[in-house]
Amino acid sequence: MVEKIADKHVFSHGDFIFSNIMITPSLEPCFIDYEYCFAAPVFYDIGKFFRTRTQVERYIGADTVAAFQEGYNRTAREPLPEEWYALSKLADISTMLHLINKPQIPDGWGEAIDGEIEKNLKLLLAGEAGSQ
């Protein structure tokens, strides 16, 4: 799985979270806040997007994952592979490990990151990620 993640790099937003997505009155998405953009594995932004956050966790379920996959595949040059959700969760673990190793992280981040990494590992080990 790690080899698949590193297989293809693309332009990455770098901070692809709900608060950086605006919807126009005509329901078109617009993305803001590109200060962290760089080249990264295609699953980097997706993993961060689906990371648990207290404010939006109740909105992230099987329906959200399916809608994301449908919308992505409808407009992407290359559709997501079948195991895209598991790959994005695995890619996000490396992102969180990078954050947790920073010299001065904000209070509470360490515990939150530890918990999210554990959640992702359990999901991957249970094989549930591929069925999402």
Side-chain angles (χ1 to χ4, degrees), residues 21-112:
I21 303 170
M22 312 277 295
I23 305 298
T24 68
S26 61
L27 301 180
E28 294 295 319
C30 295
F31 305 101
I32 62 170
D33 192 13
Y34 282 90
E35 68 186 79
Y36 298 112
C37 63
F38 65 110
V42 68
F43 301 102
Y44 176 90
D45 278 341
I46 298 170
K48 186 167 185 175
F49 181 76
F50 283 106
R51 189 183 305 159
T52 304
R53 288 172 185 79
T54 306
Q55 306 92 319
V56 296
E57 186 172 356
R58 65 178 176 250
Y59 302 112
I60 300 176
D63 291 345
T64 307
V65 172
F68 179 91
Q69 181 180 11
E70 180 196 341
Y72 186 101
N73 287 343
R74 187 174 344 116
T75 58
R77 286 187 198 151
E78 296 179 30
L80 292 167
E82 185 176 323
E83 70 278 14
W84 70 272
Y85 192 76
L87 293 167
S88 68
K89 288 298 194 175
L90 183 58
D92 197 40
I93 290 172
S94 66
T95 303
M96 289 185 283
L97 288 173
H98 170 74
L99 291 172
I100 206 167
N101 286 316
K102 287 188 174 214
Q104 296 176 328
I105 60 173
D107 290 339
W109 273 34
E111 295 81 18

